[in-house]
Amino acid sequence: MSEKEIARIDVSINDLTKLMREQNSALNKILVTLTKTQTIQLADSKRIDKLESDKTWLIRLIFGSIIAIAFAAIKVM
């Protein structure tokens, strides 16, 4: 191989190495962003589950109170 070909290959390899480093950096940023997003979504999901659970218990408490009042009213009559 001539020196020109070797120099051209060397430049190409250096360019590819630079592109790979840039790509790895971009992929790392994407991974960090996705991890943060997933963590936030998981926390939000837990909050929503807790709120739904609280609503369920509130509804049960209301219905229980209504039933207790109905039984008390029936006994008083």
Side-chain angles (χ1 to χ4, degrees):
M1 275 196 242
S2 69
E3 286 188 31
K4 285 183 180 181
E5 289 176 334
I6 292 173
R8 185 177 54 80
I9 291 170
D10 189 43
V11 168
S12 296
I13 289 174
N14 287 337
D15 288 344
L16 285 173
T17 302
K18 182 180 175 183
L19 286 172
M20 286 181 67
R21 285 186 184 136
E22 290 174 4
Q23 184 181 28
N24 285 341
S25 176
L27 288 173
N28 187 32
K29 288 177 185 178
I30 291 170
L31 180 63
V32 168
T33 302
L34 287 174
T35 302
K36 287 179 183 177
T37 303
Q38 183 181 16
T39 302
I40 291 168
Q41 287 176 340
L42 182 61
D44 289 347
S45 176
K46 286 180 181 179
R47 282 190 214 133
I48 289 170
D49 288 344
K50 184 175 180 340
L51 287 173
E52 288 176 352
S53 177
D54 288 348
K55 285 180 187 176
T56 302
W57 282 106
L58 179 61
I59 291 169
R60 288 179 183 169
L61 181 63
I62 290 169
F63 280 137
S65 298
I66 291 171
I67 292 170
I69 291 169
F71 278 129
I74 291 172
K75 287 184 180 181
V76 170
M77 296 174 122

